[in-house]
Amino acid sequence: MLSYLIRRLILVLPVAFGVSVICFMLVQIAPGDPLTAIMPIDATAEEQAAMRAAYGLDKPLAVQYAIWIGNLAQGDMGKSIATGRPVAAEVFGAVNNSLLLAASAAVIAFPIGVFLGFLAGYFRDTWIDRAVTAASITGVSLPNYWLGIVLVIIFSVNLGWLPSMGAGPGGSQAWVWNWEHMRHLILPAVTLSVVPIGIVARTVRALAGDILTQDFVQALYAKGMTRMDVLWHVARNAAATALSVMGLQLGYLLGGSILIETVFNWPGSGFLLSNAIFQRDLPLLQGTILVLALLFVAMNLIVDVAQAAIDPRIQRT
């Protein structure tokens, strides 16, 4: 297991380097001038040149990348062009909020998806299977931003049960573990969990249905095992693949929540990223994309190690 972990850690290094290069280049080749938003319309050529020199945009791309990586190694992600604040403070504050939202959605989505999937797989080709399949397809097909708007209309506007915007009372962006802040989390977390519920349920249904038809299941029954013992063996055989799918969905919850965060005005990385795109804020764009990409790489590494711990056969591949 230790050698497998070391191999996976070594493979992460070139991936992380490639991610940094792609993040840097994608932002650089995007059209538009990032300094347009902060320079006066009547700025002289000398003032424009001084501003470019201040942000290091007058240097070749290779030199800019080397400086950027060197600063990153020291924990310096630069300063936002639009606000002048340190990028690291803005990015990590927003990522913490996105992690909270993604974790809350995962806590809702994964247990429900696994339960519905096993239920449909166990009662395959029955009305229960068809009902779960229909609900899963519906959940995956619904645009999550549209669902978020509908939930806001029902539970915030009409019923007045839950707040519709922000991460806390009065537009607070700092999270506090109390009921007032948790009320702001319910609607975006439920909205974000709908698609993963459908995907996990469909995946687990296919896995459980296939495993239940295999010969070893009948052998377990023949040995006198109870139904719960047999289902435990089925769950262990399905766990590795299901865990892989849930790991990918967790990455989706973290990085693909930009529309949900915009609908609910949730101060997460997606909301920050959308603002940085519109403001053409290069340092903030690069920092946000890089942190999200590295988090996705880290989650894949954790899932790979967890799969190997569950299924030792993976360690030999």
Side-chain angles (χ1 to χ4, degrees), residues 85-127:
R85 295 182 56 198
V87 170
E90 295 207 22
V91 169
F92 287 112
V95 167
N96 284 337
N97 289 331
S98 288
L99 283 171
L100 175 65
L101 179 58
S104 302
V107 168
I108 297 170
F110 294 166
I112 294 176
V114 170
F115 173 76
L116 292 177
F118 267 105
L119 190 66
Y122 187 79
F123 295 101
R124 195 168 187 173
D125 298 327
T126 65
W127 69 269

Side-chain angles (χ1 to χ4, degrees), residues 260-283:
I260 299 299
E261 292 182 358
T262 302
V263 168
F264 291 99
N265 199 28
W266 183 265
S269 57
F271 189 70
L272 182 68
L273 192 60
S274 65
N275 289 336
I277 291 171
F278 286 116
Q279 294 171 350
R280 194 73 171 84
D281 194 336
L282 285 188

